[in-house]
Amino acid sequence: MSSDVRIVWVYPDLLSTYGDRGNLLILARRAQLRGLAVEAIEVRSDQRLPDTADIYLLGGGEDGPQALAAQRLAADGALHRAVDRGAVIFAVCAGYQLLGRTFFAKGAKCAGLELLDIESDRGATRAVGELAGDIDPRLGLPPLTGFENHGGRTHLGPNVYPLARVTAGVGNDGVTEGAWRGKVLGTYSHGPALSRNPAIADLLLRWAIGVDRLAPIDDTWPERLRAERLAAIRAA
Ligand code: GLN
């Protein structure tokens, strides 16, 4: 393998709503701007996931595809092996929920992958709109901004940290948003998440290649986008 960073977009045929594929593009671009050679692979749900990737990306999905994805990922087993050897997983919305113990899809309780100590049930209303929060200080990142659209509500167990404290929107439950443990990080933020939160993209890259810092790059455009979205919340 000659690439420095190998990124897998998991099941684009099932988990790919709200432009989440943009997360793959952002990661690849930000790695390349640092001179890193990137291999980006899209693996459909009828294919086996490679065991050797550095970063696995999961997107959002409607209930039916989400339940099918969870079954196929459990049967494949590659994500568990990936976590065991210290690979990075970044998961959005349906992808985030299915990393937990259980989630609800089409009224039925479904088994998740148990890679995060979370459980998801359904809320009284669908959470749709801007999402923002102050990220866990241990991660040292600027505020989270995103767009959310989900019926599920997520409850965190003792073995996982909230990704952020909600300042706008709902996230997990109106108080916290997302979760992380080790190098596994989940969020309800679409938008796509990494175009609106390039600092999270860089965190994932740092985890993947094992460095504390990456060379700075020109973030004028991402900063404009962030400022616009955060101002839209204040104006609402
Ligand atoms: N089906 C899940 C829910 O509604 C996730 C939706 C999504 O990924 N946007 O909670």
Side-chain angles (χ1 to χ4, degrees):
M1 193 177 89
S2 59
S3 50
D4 300 310
V5 188
R6 203 163 179 230
I7 308 170
V8 174
W9 178 247
V10 178
Y11 296 177
D13 52 326
L14 297 178
L15 300 175
S16 194
T17 54
Y18 309 112
D20 289 334
R21 186 173 177 277
N23 293 329
L24 176 65
L25 304 179
I26 296 287
L27 273 179
R29 177 76 179 146
R30 296 184 75 84
Q32 284 158 353
L33 286 171
R34 272 63 175 253
L36 298 166
V38 175
E39 189 178 348
I41 312 156
E42 304 200 12
V43 181
R44 291 193 320 269
S45 64
D46 60 351
Q47 300 173 309
R48 288 202 63 106
L49 286 172
D51 267 338
T52 52
D54 302 300
I55 304 176
Y56 294 80
L57 300 175
L58 288 83
E62 301 312 321
D63 281 14
Q66 176 180 1
L68 186 57
Q71 285 169 13
R72 292 188 175 179
L73 287 169
D76 183 293
L79 288 187
H80 292 88
R81 293 190 293 276
V83 170
D84 286 347
R85 65 180 168 75
V88 177
I89 299 184
F90 178 68
V92 176
C93 204
Y96 166 48
Q97 291 178 5
L98 67 78
L99 292 185
R101 300 184 188 286
T102 54
F103 63 91
F104 272 79
K106 296 196 172 217
K109 194 171 189 172
C110 303
L113 301 180
E114 301 193 10
L115 290 170
L116 282 176
D117 183 16
I118 61 170
E119 286 186 356
S120 299
D121 54 18
R122 299 307 273 197
T125 55
R126 203 166 172 85
V128 184
E130 289 293 320
L131 172 64
D134 293 324
I135 292 187
D136 185 339
R138 274 169 289 223
L139 295 174
L141 304 180
L144 179 86
T145 160
F147 168 79
E148 62 183 338
N149 185 350
H150 53 102
R153 297 292 185 277
T154 298
H155 310 283
L156 274 52
N159 295 318
V160 76
Y161 303 117
L163 173 64
R165 294 264 148 208
V166 169
T167 53
V170 176
N172 293 324
D173 57 0
V175 179
T176 69
E177 141 57 15
W180 71 284
R181 167 88 195 215
K183 297 181 190 168
V184 180
L185 194 153
T187 176
Y188 273 109
S189 170
H190 298 280
L194 299 185
S195 69
R196 291 174 62 152
N197 301 278
I200 298 181
D202 285 358
L203 173 74
L204 303 177
L205 289 173
R206 286 192 278 118
W207 279 350
I209 61 174
V211 298
D212 291 335
R213 309 189 54 204
L214 289 169
I217 53 181
D218 179 4
D219 272 333
T220 306
W221 283 103
E223 287 305 334
R224 278 189 202 173
L225 173 64
R226 288 177 59 77
E228 180 206 290
R229 297 325 303 158
L230 291 166
I233 289 171
R234 287 193 294 273

